[in-house]
Amino acid sequence: MNEPRIIVALDFDRANHALDLVAQLDPRLCRVKVGKELFTTAGPQLVEQLKNNGFDVFLDLKFHDIPNTVAKACKAAASMGVWMINVHALGGRKMLQAARDALPINTSTTKLIAVTLLTSMDRNDLQDIGLQGETHQIVQRLARLTKDCGLDGIVCSALEAENLRNTIGNDFCLVTPGIRPADGNLDDQKRVATPLQAIKNGADYLVIGRPITQAKDPLLALQKINQEINTPEN
Ligand code: C5P
């Protein structure tokens, strides 16, 4: 069986809701993502339970602080045995290098990736904080910086993945949210791609929340998406 490329976003406010959902899923078909809300309420204990149920965990806490603080936070996160963690590339070179040094590439099994720009930010928001230039240029620049600092990859829009893959090469992991099956509801997402489009654009992993978590049959929804991305003639 292929390694799971779908990361199910557990956007729940309580541990039992997340655990009820994962009880319906199969760790051979997906990994799971725990974000700020769920981790703040349920903490390391939930991470442990998810691991005990066989799931790889992406701890999506997007650290952004002075280098020393981020390095220690990364170390603490990795010590929980999670599969992936992330930081903000806007924390800059020293912070990214400190995060990498905290999880040495040849000994750490936790993947370390960075968020470039939040996709919720448009040009006006960027100007407000003094960032000049086109969004895609800033994303490219932050992706390059992330790679230079030795991190394993970035979170990016599936629509940006093709350009990024072409400029940054294959040895860099692209994790893409904003995925919607062709017949799915957009919810609050705007710039979306189908699972297959995202993979064809060069994404390694797809972060998918509501199309699976809110489905009548979450396992069936997950199986269908896996079938779409794993069928060779696609
Ligand atoms: O339910 P949905 O598939 O929209 O969930 C997407 C997940 O990916 C959420 O956890 C959301 O916070 C996260 N995400 C995103 N866009 C980004 C970064 C993260 O949708 N740019």
Side-chain angles (χ1 to χ4, degrees):
M1 194 177 277
N2 299 329
E3 69 143 354
R5 297 176 78 174
I6 297 174
I7 304 172
V8 178
L10 300 179
D11 292 323
F12 296 103
D13 58 0
R14 277 184 239 146
N16 60 328
H17 293 167
L19 291 168
D20 286 348
L21 190 268
V22 299
Q24 301 172 65
L25 301 177
D26 180 343
R28 289 170 304 178
L29 299 182
C30 66
R31 296 175 154 108
V32 295
K33 177 171 90 69
V34 174
K36 287 188 169 98
E37 183 188 20
L38 187 57
F39 190 72
T40 302
T41 59
Q45 198 190 342
L46 173 68
V47 171
E48 198 55 39
Q49 283 170 301
L50 293 168
K51 285 195 317 166
N52 289 341
N53 289 346
F55 290 91
D56 282 346
V57 177
F58 170 15
L59 191 60
D60 178 20
L61 298 181
K62 301 188 184 71
F63 297 131
H64 188 173
D65 209 311
I66 59 171
N68 181 55
T69 302
V70 166
K72 288 186 172 162
C74 287
K75 217 170 186 168
S79 73
M80 282 185 264
V82 295
W83 166 70
M84 177 179 272
I85 64 169
N86 58 1
V87 298
H88 269 285
L90 282 169
R93 185 180 296 276
K94 290 200 186 76
M95 191 207 81
L96 292 169
Q97 283 171 341
R100 178 75 284 170
D101 290 347
L103 306 188
I105 206 149
N106 30 2
T107 55
S108 175
T109 55
T110 301
K111 286 186 196 294
L112 173 63
I113 66 168
V115 175
T116 53
L117 280 183
L118 293 171
T119 47
S120 53
M121 298 190 87
D122 62 19
R123 246 181 132 178
N124 292 334
D125 296 315
L126 298 176
Q127 267 177 7
D128 274 347
I129 58 168
L131 281 180
Q132 306 293 341
E134 295 294 331
T135 310
H136 69 95
Q137 289 166 336
I138 302 173
V139 169
Q140 285 279 351
R141 195 186 178 95
L142 291 169
R144 171 60 50 201
L145 175 66
T146 301
K147 192 165 191 217
D148 280 353
C149 294
L151 274 68
D152 302 305
I154 51 168
V155 181
C156 65
S157 149
L159 302 176
E160 287 159 358
E162 191 169 17
N163 260 335
L164 286 161
R165 179 60 75 211
N166 290 337
T167 53
I168 217 149
N170 286 332
D171 187 22
F172 197 61
C173 171
L174 302 182
V175 178
T176 63
I179 305 295
R180 287 294 177 272
D183 56 357
N185 187 334
L186 292 193
D187 303 304
D188 54 354
Q189 296 282 9
K190 292 201 175 90
R191 300 173 60 237
V192 301
T194 67
L196 187 61
Q197 269 169 345
I199 294 290
K200 284 188 170 163
N201 285 356
D204 296 290
Y205 300 105
L206 314 181
V207 175
I208 308 180
R210 288 160 290 182
I212 293 172
T213 60
Q214 305 302 313
K216 236 185 239 143
D217 184 341
L219 181 61
L220 184 65
L222 173 62
Q223 285 168 330
K224 277 189 179 162
I225 299 173
N226 263 317
Q227 203 172 21
E228 175 181 334
I229 61 177
N230 289 325
T231 304
E233 64 271 24
N234 277 340

